[in-house]
Every structure is written in C-alpha cells, then in structure tokens.
C-alpha cells in the first residue's frame, strides 16, 4: 500500500532535497547505461563465444553498489550526497528491470534532468508524530521534514520506505507499507461477539469491552454546536468557526476510535482462531433505521436532551462497529471471521434455543422462560452468535458439541 502525503520542507531544506533528486537521477542513469551495455554485450557474445566468461562480468545490484562506492571515492560532489539515497536509486533501477523482465513494464528509461521535477527514495524510515496534523520524516543529510497527516497514523508508522517527489514546486512523500500481515492465534479458541449500546462488545466468554466515545460534556457541546450551525448563515465567518469546532470534536473521537479499534482487533486476532459476529448488512434489513436528527429543525434536540445524546451515542457506536469489522477482517486469515444472521440473537436462549421476547428480563438480564437458564443478556447473545456460526459452517463440530465449554464460561459471569 502507498500513502501519499504532502511534504512541507523549510526553505533551508529545499536545496538538500533537490540535491537528492539530482543524485538519485545521476546514479539511476549511470546504472541503466551500464546494464544496457551489458545486455548488448551479452547479445553480441551469442555470435562471438570467445568474449569470455559471462557470469564473471554479470551486473547485479551488489556489483553496482560496489562501483557506486568507487565512484563516490572519485567524485567529491557525489560523495557529499547521501549514500543511502544513492543506493536506493540502484535498488529502484533493479526494481524497474525486474518489472521489465516480468513483462509488467517497458524497458527502463533514462531520467531527464529537470529543475521542476524529480524524486528519490528514503529507506530505513523514521517518522514521528508532532501533533494531530503534523508529522516529521527523517531525510538523510537534510533532517526532519514536516508533512501533513491525512491518513491513519498507525499505517504511516508501519511504512518501511518512502519516495519523495517534487513536481512544479510541490513536494509529496509516498509511504510504502507492507501488506498487513495476517495474525494467526493457533489457539483453537473460538468466540462469538455481540455488539450493543451498554457494552460495545460482549464475548461468548463473558467479557465486556467498551469503546471510547465522546465524554458527556463533549456530547453536550457537540449537540449545541450542531444546533448553532443550523441557525448560522451559510458562508458566514461564525459558521466556519462552528464547523471548525465540530471538526475538532470529530477528530478527537476519530483518534480515540482508531486507537481502540487497532488494539482490540489485534488482541482478539491473537487470541482466537475463529470469530463470529452479526452480519451488519442483514441487520439493516431487520431493524428500522434510527431517526436522524433534522438539521432544518434542530429544536428536536434539547441541548441536554437524553434522547439526543442516546442518538448521538448510537451513531458513534455504529461507526466504531463498522471500523471494527473492517479491521478484524483485515487482520485475521480469510474465512475466520464469520458473519451470521442477527435475527433474534438477543431473544434466543443459548442453552435450549427457546426464542421469545419475554426471555429478555431487562437490558442486562436474560432469563429463559422455557429452561430457566440465566445469563447476562449480551453474553447470551454472543453465545447464540457463535453457535449460529459453528452450526452453519462446521457441521461436524456443531452447536451441541461446542456450546458447552463456551457456555460454561459465560454462566459463571455475574450479570452486571
Ligand atoms: Zn432455555
């Protein structure tokens, strides 16, 4: 994956970056010329076998690296540049040839000298976050260059190299991150996960996990700002200010949410070999959509209104859940996150399968009217979700065989 961010070098750093572009181009072109000559020589050798040992003269990235070192010894201006940037240019060239040999690209072209554009690669990347909006990347011989963060920091941080490009006075940096490695627990453990409002996630083993939200004062402020926004004139300065403040709250929530989702999904992927969740797409069909706040008549939201806050909370949780699903499916091997039909998961008894609305004694307590089984309502639902996944996907190890251990764990859990 490549993440492109805008780079903002200080005026004092510009010359150094331009130098790197020139050096990278010079080394790339010299290396390309050498390889092209060798290819011609190899071709000619077909008709003149007395030319000598082909392998001895073979050009590799390693041999070119050695020659680059010699060249640096001879050329002071090249020696003044960064060897890491220059070596990266040779690797760049090698990549271009590999793509050519694999039929993915045309024969590599010489790079033209230009003051208006250029690029070079930074390896052994070091990035640091300054604040929400800004990060710095360490460029050899130039120092820490600022860039604007517009992507998940967790992804940028994983980048192993980056290409700095310059075009018409604008600088960008494209971070290259390795494809996310799948996490395999190999524990044999399976889990069902129910999502809810009181507990963001409840596992079939009785664990409750809370996602961060806005604090109560933040929610009040958010709703007030929304109200204010509706009254303000489009294009006005005050409206722009309100939008700014709303954006600040959203970003704060977004950062919290991202951190939580990353930690939680990694933790679950390291623990379980199989995770069963409710299928959101089906959920949409089953549940009526929650009423949305009307921006034209913001009066429906009283600033401290419990209903407004509850609606906001649901909206926040919905966004957390969506992100959670995306990330857990990224991190776990294919086919190990199973989505099941969410219909009646909260009303079905995990012990006997009896389904009735009256099973749900309260928000938190599940008490089966048929067999008397009691459990935390969310835990019960998580067990039902797991059973559905196992019942439909692994007939041999179906509901009855697998339910007991997971269920025994959940039954001991206090219904709090
Ligand atoms: Zn029952």
């Amino acid at each position: 994956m490549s993440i492109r961010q805008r780079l903002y070098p200080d005026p004092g750093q510009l010359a150094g970056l331009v130098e790197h572009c020139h050096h990278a181009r010079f080394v790339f072109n010299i290396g390309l010329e050498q390889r092209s000559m060798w290819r011609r020589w190899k071709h000619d050798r077909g008709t003149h076998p007395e030319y000598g040992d082909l392998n001895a003269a073979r050009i590799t990235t390693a041999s070119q690296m050695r020659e680059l070192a010699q060249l640096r010894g001879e050329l002071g201006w090249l020696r003044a540049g960064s060897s890491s940037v220059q070596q990266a240019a040779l690797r760049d060239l090698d990549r271009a040839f590999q793509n050519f040999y694999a039929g993915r690209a045309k024969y590599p072209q010489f790079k033209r000298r230009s003051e208006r554009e250029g690029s070079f690669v930074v390896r052994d990347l070091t990035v640091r976050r300054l604040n929400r909006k800004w990060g710095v990347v360490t460029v050899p011989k130039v120092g820490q260059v600022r860039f604007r963060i517009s992507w998940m920091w967790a992804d940028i941080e994983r980048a192993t190299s980056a290409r700095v490009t310059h075009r018409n006075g604008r600088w960008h940096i494209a971070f290259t991150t390795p494809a996310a490695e799948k996490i395999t627990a190999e524990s044999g453990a399976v889990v069902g996960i129910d999502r809810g409002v009181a507990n963001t996630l409840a596992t079939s083993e009785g664990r409750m996990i809370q996602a961060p939200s806005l604090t109560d004062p933040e929610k009040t402020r958010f709703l007030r700002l929304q109200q204010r926004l509706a009254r303000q004139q489009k294009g006005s300065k005050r409206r722009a200010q309100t939008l700014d403040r709303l954006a600040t709250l959203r970003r704060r929530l977004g950062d919290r949410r991202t951190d939580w989702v990353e930690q939680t999904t990694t933790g679950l992927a390291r623990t379980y070999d199989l995770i069963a969740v409710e299928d959101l797409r089906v959920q949409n069909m089953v549940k009526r959509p929650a009423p949305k706040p009307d921006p034209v008549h913001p009066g429906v939201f009283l600033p401290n209104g419990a209903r407004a806050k509850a609606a906001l909370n649901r909206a926040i949780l919905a966004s957390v859940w969506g992100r959670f699903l995306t990330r857990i499916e990224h991190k776990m091997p294919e086919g190990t996150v199973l989505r099941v039909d969410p219909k009646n998961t909260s009303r079905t008894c995990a012990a006997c399968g009896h389904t009735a609305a009256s099973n749900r004694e309260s928000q938190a307590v599940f008490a089966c009217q048929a067999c008397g089984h009691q459990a935390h309502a969310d835990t019960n639902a998580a067990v039902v979700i797991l059973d559905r996944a196992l019942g439909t996907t692994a007939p041999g190890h179906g509901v009855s065989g697998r339910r007991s251990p997971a269920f025994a764990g959940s039954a001991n859990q206090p219904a709090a």
Side-chain angles (χ1 to χ4, degrees):
M1 184 168 65
S2 181
I3 304 163
R4 194 162 176 262
Q5 306 279 271
R6 180 94 183 261
L7 199 64
Y8 292 85
D10 295 337
Q13 296 174 325
L14 280 173
L17 295 179
V18 171
E19 280 282 286
H20 284 343
C21 290
H22 287 334
H23 293 169
R25 188 201 70 250
F26 175 79
V27 171
F28 183 96
N29 284 349
I30 274 202
L32 174 56
E33 192 176 2
Q34 197 185 29
R35 289 201 185 209
S36 301
M37 281 172 66
W38 183 73
R39 274 171 62 82
R40 274 196 296 276
W41 180 79
K42 194 176 88 169
H43 182 260
D44 289 349
R45 191 187 168 273
T47 50
H48 303 283
E50 68 276 15
Y51 264 29
D53 182 8
L54 199 66
N55 280 327
R58 220 179 112 82
I59 292 169
T60 62
T61 305
S63 77
Q64 291 199 313
M65 291 280 186
R66 280 194 299 276
E67 279 167 53
L68 172 62
Q70 280 174 13
L71 204 58
R72 280 170 59 87
E74 291 159 24
L75 302 173
W77 60 268
L78 196 63
R79 187 166 60 246
S82 154
S83 65
S84 143
V85 164
Q86 293 162 14
Q87 285 171 0
L90 285 179
R91 291 206 176 83
D92 224 20
L93 175 69
D94 192 52
R95 173 93 41 86
F97 268 101
Q98 280 171 22
N99 287 340
F100 166 67
Y101 289 131
R104 291 188 293 267
K106 286 185 183 169
Y107 191 79
Q109 296 286 304
F110 287 98
K111 290 186 195 290
R112 272 194 214 132
R113 184 183 177 89
S114 163
E115 295 304 319
R116 294 176 66 82
E117 59 180 71
S119 77
F120 65 92
V121 171
V122 180
R123 292 165 50 85
D124 305 320
L125 206 64
T126 315
V127 291
R128 191 162 58 84
R129 189 173 199 173
L130 296 178
N131 53 43
R132 209 179 59 230
K133 289 180 183 170
W134 294 97
V136 286
V137 56
T138 305
V139 177
K141 302 239 171 196
V142 172
Q144 300 197 326
V145 185
R146 289 195 311 153
F147 63 93
R148 184 71 191 251
I149 302 168
S150 68
W151 192 269
M152 272 207 332
W153 181 253
D155 284 343
I156 294 174
E157 222 174 13
R158 286 194 316 143
T160 49
S161 70
R163 177 182 293 277
V164 174
T165 57
H166 168 223
R167 187 164 229 169
N168 298 330
R170 286 195 173 201
W171 291 86
H172 285 92
I173 183 161
F175 294 102
T176 307
T177 62
E181 248 178 75
K182 299 287 184 190
I183 303 172
T184 47
E186 288 178 17
S187 58
V190 296
V191 74
I193 292 177
D194 179 48
R195 75 199 171 101
V197 174
N199 299 297
T200 316
L201 304 178
T203 76
S204 51
E205 291 173 336
R207 244 180 96 202
M208 304 292 170
I209 309 170
Q210 306 295 341
S213 182
L214 291 173
T215 62
D216 232 38
E218 282 171 342
K219 277 181 203 158
T220 306
R221 193 169 140 73
F222 188 90
L223 293 167
R224 277 215 183 105
L225 287 168
Q226 269 195 334
Q227 274 188 307
R228 199 179 294 165
L229 188 71
R231 286 194 305 266
Q232 285 167 333
Q233 252 179 353
K234 281 198 177 149
S236 73
K237 261 189 185 171
R238 284 169 179 276
R239 186 181 158 91
Q241 195 181 45
T242 308
L243 281 170
D244 257 9
R245 289 176 179 160
L246 276 169
T248 303
L249 281 174
R250 282 202 188 94
R251 270 197 298 263
R252 201 179 291 169
L253 174 68
D255 287 347
R256 275 178 216 162
R257 184 191 66 175
T258 301
D259 290 347
W260 180 84
V261 165
E262 290 310 311
Q263 284 168 19
T264 310
T265 50
T266 298
L268 289 168
R270 284 197 183 131
T271 312
Y272 300 104
D273 281 337
L274 186 144
I275 290 182
V277 294
E278 289 175 302
D279 192 340
L280 260 187
R281 291 163 300 194
V282 184
Q283 182 85 19
N284 288 342
M285 290 185 281
V286 176
K287 265 193 184 165
R288 259 181 298 148
K292 277 186 188 152
D294 185 352
V296 186
H297 303 289
V300 291
F301 279 169
L302 297 170
N304 278 312
R307 274 180 61 184
K309 274 191 193 166
L312 181 61
N313 215 26
R314 275 196 300 277
I316 291 170
L317 285 173
S319 76
V320 171
W321 178 253
R323 184 94 206 174
F324 171 86
L325 267 188
T326 309
R327 292 303 286 155
I328 195 85
E329 284 179 344
H330 271 156
K331 288 180 185 178
M332 291 187 63
E334 208 165 315
T336 59
V337 177
L338 302 174
R339 297 179 180 223
V340 304
D341 184 351
K343 199 179 178 195
N344 287 329
T345 47
S346 62
R347 299 169 173 184
T348 303
C349 173
C352 73
H354 177 64
T355 302
S358 54
N359 284 347
R360 194 76 183 262
E361 226 169 54
S362 68
Q363 173 66 36
V365 179
F366 185 95
C368 179
Q369 303 298 298
C371 76
H373 163 63
Q374 286 201 10
H376 189 291
D378 294 345
T379 309
N380 180 80
V383 177
V384 171
I385 289 166
L386 177 61
D387 284 348
R388 277 191 193 171
L390 296 175
T392 49
T393 57
H397 321 265
V399 179
S400 55
R402 283 281 187 153
R403 186 201 303 138
S404 313
F407 181 62
S410 66
N412 297 332
Q413 207 60 30

